[in-house]
Amino acid sequence: MVSYRENDLYNLINNNSPILSKKLKEIGNYKKGGKIGFETLITKLQEKCYVITNDFVYLRDKNGNPYGWGVAEYTTPEKFYGKSFANKTYKRTPEESYERMFNHLSEILPDASDKEIKRILK
């Protein structure tokens, strides 16, 4: 269900997670003169729910003070939630998952109409 390039990146994440995007780009050779398309690949893996953002970590200067934007730290759902959680989700049909997401969004967005929630889930 994923391309060869997506699988290559997934394996890097799975074998090293949680891992900062900066380090992931380094070990995966996604730098100038190396492999291209890191942002596209990571986005596709997230859209397919194979990779999630574990945290945003702020880099620190020589004095130990955080600076700049938070750097994404990636992992797999299995490593973040545990294998038992992930195995349960694979037993659900897409329709069951859709209904669970729809109900959850309805609860946390009480002012949203059904049409708006369906648009979010599209």
Side-chain angles (χ1 to χ4, degrees), residues 40-96:
T40 300
L41 295 171
I42 200 76
T43 299
K44 286 182 178 184
L45 288 170
Q46 288 178 310
E47 287 173 348
K48 295 173 184 174
C49 298
Y50 288 117
V51 170
I52 61 173
T53 303
N54 185 61
D55 198 2
F56 285 95
V57 177
Y58 290 89
L59 300 178
R60 299 197 173 264
D61 64 17
K62 64 182 178 182
N63 299 316
N65 300 314
Y67 70 91
W69 291 89
V71 178
E73 182 178 64
Y74 296 111
T75 190
T76 63
E78 292 82 1
K79 292 198 176 176
F80 186 80
Y81 294 110
K83 286 192 182 257
S84 63
F85 173 83
N87 289 339
K88 282 191 253 178
T89 61
Y90 287 120
K91 292 178 183 175
R92 293 188 193 117
T93 65
E95 293 78 22
E96 289 172 315

Side-chain angles (χ1 to χ4, degrees), residues 98-110 117:
Y98 181 90
E99 186 166 334
R100 288 174 62 95
M101 290 188 295
F102 184 90
N103 291 338
H104 178 70
L105 289 173
S106 294
E107 286 178 25
I108 64 172
L109 302 169
I117 293 173

